[in-house]
Amino acid sequence: PAREFKPRDLEEVWCRCGIWITQYSNQKITIEQLTALILESWDFSVGGELSGKQAQDLTNTLSQYKTDPRCLKQREEKFARVYKELTKKEKYLDFSNDSTTQLSRQICAEIEKIQWKKQYKGKGRNGTLIEGAAGRGKDVVVEACLNQTGLNYEKVNGSKEGYQTLKEKIKEARKNGSILIVSEANLIPSNYLEGLLNDALTEDSTAGFHLFVTMNPISFEGRYGFSNAFLSRFTRYHVPDYTPKD
């Protein structure tokens, strides 16, 4: 009930549906399998921003539909291969815990979307926002996944003092159709950042442009909160707390 869905949410869902249906264009799929793809699209589009009861409510809602998840097996196998390589190459983060696995899965899906939009001129959000406590490897996972797929990117650290540099980097990324990581973005006051990123995420940019934005919870000292209208420009992912198993 606290989450109001906007047309851009539906646009994002249908973008992901387009990605995954394209992959099955040479195969015959049933209504139940198509439903599984659509629900998976919903989960990747909005599920990552939910936690606790909201996340469970979404799971319960989606489970009411009759699906055949066998069509998702190919996607899981593809992710498993990518993830296996990540665990071999990355030396600075433990990739064996559940929360890092889920974050990696989300980032790989975002990268897949970037590539698909560039090839097919598709729509969908140009920004991904990842929120989680310090030390959870947010930036490390994003960079590791990008490195694994061979995509070029740049990274800037959030700070009020570096605002002018950020403006220049965003302008450059939009022009070149490239990827920019903005680390600890909410160290920048919201009245500075919201106008800049709203323009970047709503106006036309060269295909391939995408922002990965990471931030700590606003409960951390010196962090700023953002409006719901601004946050809705992003596909959001909340990195959950470590489980006892982690």
Side-chain angles (χ1 to χ4, degrees):
R3 176 63 156 84
E4 181 180 358
F5 290 94
K6 304 283 188 178
R8 66 176 64 97
D9 293 308
L10 295 177
E11 190 174 71
E12 176 72 12
V13 171
W14 288 119
C15 172
R16 292 186 191 274
C17 286
I19 297 168
W20 298 342
I21 290 172
T22 299
Q23 296 172 358
Y24 294 93
S25 59
N26 296 323
Q27 304 176 36
K28 183 178 180 180
I29 62 174
T30 65
I31 291 297
E32 288 77 14
Q33 290 172 328
L34 180 60
T35 302
L37 290 173
I38 293 172
L39 297 186
E40 186 86 343
S41 299
W42 270 103
D43 192 29
F44 272 93
S45 298
V46 301
E49 68 186 72
L50 306 178
S51 60
K53 186 177 183 302
Q54 282 187 321
Q56 188 59 52
D57 287 345
L58 178 63
T59 299
N60 293 340
T61 299
L62 298 184
S63 66
Q64 297 175 24
Y65 296 89
K66 185 178 180 181
T67 64
D68 180 353
R70 287 179 296 175
C71 60
L72 303 176
K73 183 179 179 181
Q74 180 179 332
R75 295 186 51 72
E76 281 301 310
E77 290 174 347
K78 178 182 177 182
F79 172 72
R81 291 192 296 271
V82 172
Y83 196 69
K84 184 177 180 180
E85 291 302 313
L86 283 175
T87 59
K88 288 181 180 179
K89 294 180 180 180
E90 182 52 55
K91 300 178 181 179
Y92 302 105
L93 182 68
D94 179 8
F95 271 80
S96 65
N97 62 76
D98 291 341
S99 59
T100 304
T101 302
Q102 290 301 322
L103 176 57
S104 300
R105 180 179 281 106
Q106 182 75 36
I107 298 305
C108 286
E110 293 298 291
I111 292 171
E112 183 180 47
K113 183 181 73 172
I114 295 167
Q115 294 171 319
W116 185 86
K117 286 174 58 183
K118 188 171 184 178
Q119 180 177 355
Y120 292 98
K121 310 299 182 185
K123 296 185 178 181
R125 294 189 179 99
N126 289 331
T128 306
L129 190 150
I130 304 162
E131 179 184 4
R136 300 306 306 274
K138 302 181 292 294
D139 296 304
V140 174
V141 173
V142 174
E143 293 185 71
C145 291
L146 288 170
N147 289 333
Q148 181 64 26
T149 54
L151 292 177
N152 295 322
Y153 64 90
E154 285 197 77
K155 179 180 178 181
V156 294
N157 294 316
S159 69
K160 187 175 180 180
E161 294 73 22
Y163 178 71
Q164 189 59 40
T165 299
L166 176 60
K167 284 181 64 175
E168 293 169 359
K169 290 296 183 183
I170 289 176
K171 182 179 180 180
E172 183 180 318
R174 291 182 62 189
K175 179 181 178 181
N176 296 335
S178 56
I179 297 170
L180 182 66
I181 301 172
V182 184
S183 179
E184 305 298 351
N186 60 338
L187 285 171
I188 304 171
S190 55
N191 60 317
Y192 281 79
L193 194 65
E194 290 200 22
L196 174 63
L197 295 192
N198 264 323
D199 290 344
L201 296 172
T202 57
E203 297 177 355
D204 289 339
S205 300
T206 303
F209 166 68
H210 197 88
L211 291 176
F212 283 100
V213 176
T214 66
M215 56 184 276
N216 291 141
I218 59 174
S219 57
F220 280 44
E221 184 178 356
R223 269 63 175 188
Y224 297 87
F226 300 123
S227 69
N228 288 332
F230 174 69
L231 294 174
S232 70
R233 307 291 184 192
F234 294 90
T235 297
R236 295 162 59 192
Y237 186 79
H238 174 80
V239 181
D241 293 332
Y242 286 120
T243 66
K245 178 183 175 182
D246 293 338

